[in-house]
């Protein structure tokens, strides 16, 4: 990293009822971002609420982290990263604040397409999040229209998979129509699970979504660290 290059501040939005900080830990180990933290706007106790409540919490969480960044480093350079349904929450929060203090949003295997059905895997704890799944198409249509009308698509990066995914179908991981942001596909060679014995408890398509190879994590981190918005 050259001294003249600016480092980014990363706020990582966990998926529904998520507890993993894998991306945060990987970015910390690489040492190529200035600040990184993970937030969980929808804990298990809030699974059945309307998704707007989680978005409202997320906006407050972003504001708190931005204050922290200003105190430590000065002007914030925030990339909002969302994994799976965290992508939807990140995009809605960016829309509702008109990207206030947010340089860009990155969706990683998120259920973005409003016309593609996305449902929780059978017997998954995510089945409790019925309101989130029911309102997702409406909210993603609002986000898509907002990005299109306000010419903000260039501030969105989409990382999509290439292998079959039981949690978020591949066709759901992109917006409808023309997308004018950055679109990156994980190569099939690295887009597989690496969960060992744990992954055997899930279907192959679910394990792929939940457990990443080291190469897949490295590629995701490299995309998060890279420039694009100045």
């Amino acid at each position: 990293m050259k001294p003249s290059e600016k480092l980014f501040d990363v706020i990582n939005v966990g998926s529904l009822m998520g507890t993993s900080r894998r991306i945060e830990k990987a970015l910390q180990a690489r040492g190529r971002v200035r600040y990184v933290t993970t937030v969980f706007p929808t804990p298990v106790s809030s699974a059945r609420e309307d998704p707007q409540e989680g978005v409202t919490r997320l906006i407050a969480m972003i504001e708190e982290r931005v204050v922290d960044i200003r105190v430590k480093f000065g002007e914030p350079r925030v990339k909002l990263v969302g994994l799976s349904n965290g992508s939807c929450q990140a995009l809605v929060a960016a829309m509702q604040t008109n990207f206030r203090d947010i340089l860009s949003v990155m969706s990683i295997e998120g259920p973005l397409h409003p016309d593609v059905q996305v449902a929780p895997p059978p017997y998954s704890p995510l089945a409790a999040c019925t309101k989130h799944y029911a309102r997702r198409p409406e909210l993603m249509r609002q986000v898509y229209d907002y990005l299109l009308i306000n010419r903000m698509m260039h501030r969105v990066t989409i990382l999509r998979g290439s292998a079959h995914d039981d949690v978020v179908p591949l066709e759901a991981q992109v917006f409808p129509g023309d997308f004018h942001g950055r679109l990156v596909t994980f190569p099939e060679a690295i887009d597989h699970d690496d969960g060992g014995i744990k992954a055997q408890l899930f279907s192959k398509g679910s394990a792929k979504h939940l457990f990443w190879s080291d190469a897949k994590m490295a590629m995701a981190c490299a995309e998060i660290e890279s420039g694009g918005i100045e």
Side-chain angles (χ1 to χ4, degrees):
M1 181 70 67
K2 298 177 182 178
S4 60
E5 293 186 52
K6 296 180 180 179
L7 300 177
F8 292 103
D9 309 307
V10 178
I11 300 176
N12 180 42
V13 184
S15 57
L16 283 176
M17 301 167 61
T19 57
S20 175
R21 297 180 181 271
R22 292 174 297 162
I23 292 176
E24 177 187 347
K25 292 177 180 178
L27 288 170
Q28 287 175 335
R30 290 165 64 94
R32 299 172 192 170
V33 296
R34 185 172 67 171
Y35 175 98
V36 58
T37 188
T38 303
V39 295
F40 298 105
T42 307
V44 175
S45 60
S46 304
R48 298 182 185 278
E49 70 184 7
D50 186 275
Q52 179 58 51
E53 295 185 43
V55 171
T56 299
R57 272 197 302 274
L58 175 57
I59 291 172
M61 290 173 172
I62 294 169
E63 290 173 347
E64 290 174 0
R65 273 61 178 186
V66 166
V67 170
D68 190 31
I69 292 167
R70 288 188 190 279
V71 170
K72 292 179 178 177
F73 305 110
E75 190 63 23
R77 289 176 50 78
V78 173
K79 281 192 172 185
L80 199 56
V81 176
L83 174 62
S84 193
N85 191 76
S87 301
C88 299
Q89 293 181 305
L91 284 162
V92 175
M95 173 185 70
Q96 293 184 358
T97 61
N98 199 31
F99 278 78
R100 183 177 66 244
D101 295 318
I102 299 170
L103 283 178
S104 62
V105 177
M106 176 178 289
S107 167
I108 304 178
E109 297 181 345
L112 306 181
H113 200 305
D115 301 325
V116 176
Q117 182 178 6
V118 179
Y123 312 112
S124 167
L126 293 175
C129 303
T130 53
K131 290 184 179 179
H132 290 268
Y133 283 95
R135 287 205 63 197
R136 180 199 65 84
E138 168 200 348
L139 293 172
M140 288 301 96
R141 176 62 66 182
Q142 290 177 11
V143 166
Y144 177 75
D145 290 345
Y146 164 84
L147 295 172
L148 192 65
I149 292 170
N150 293 280
R151 299 182 180 180
M152 300 283 261
M153 282 191 181
H154 68 288
R155 299 178 73 165
V156 176
T157 294
I158 294 175
L159 268 64
R160 63 178 176 182
S162 57
H164 173 74
D165 191 326
D166 286 340
V167 181
V168 181
L170 295 180
E171 58 270 26
Q173 295 179 19
V174 293
F175 283 118
D178 293 332
F179 173 65
H180 305 296
R182 178 165 169 74
L183 177 61
V184 180
T185 301
F186 290 113
E188 190 170 351
I190 69 172
D191 191 21
H192 62 273
D193 70 85
D194 195 26
I197 296 175
K198 291 188 296 183
Q200 296 177 19
L201 299 174
F202 301 86
S203 69
K204 185 175 180 181
S206 295
K208 172 262 170 189
H209 190 86
L210 298 171
F211 304 102
W212 289 9
S213 66
D214 291 341
K216 183 173 180 178
M217 179 61 77
M219 181 175 173
C221 287
E223 288 294 333
I224 294 169
E225 295 159 352
S226 66
I229 297 293
E230 296 295 336

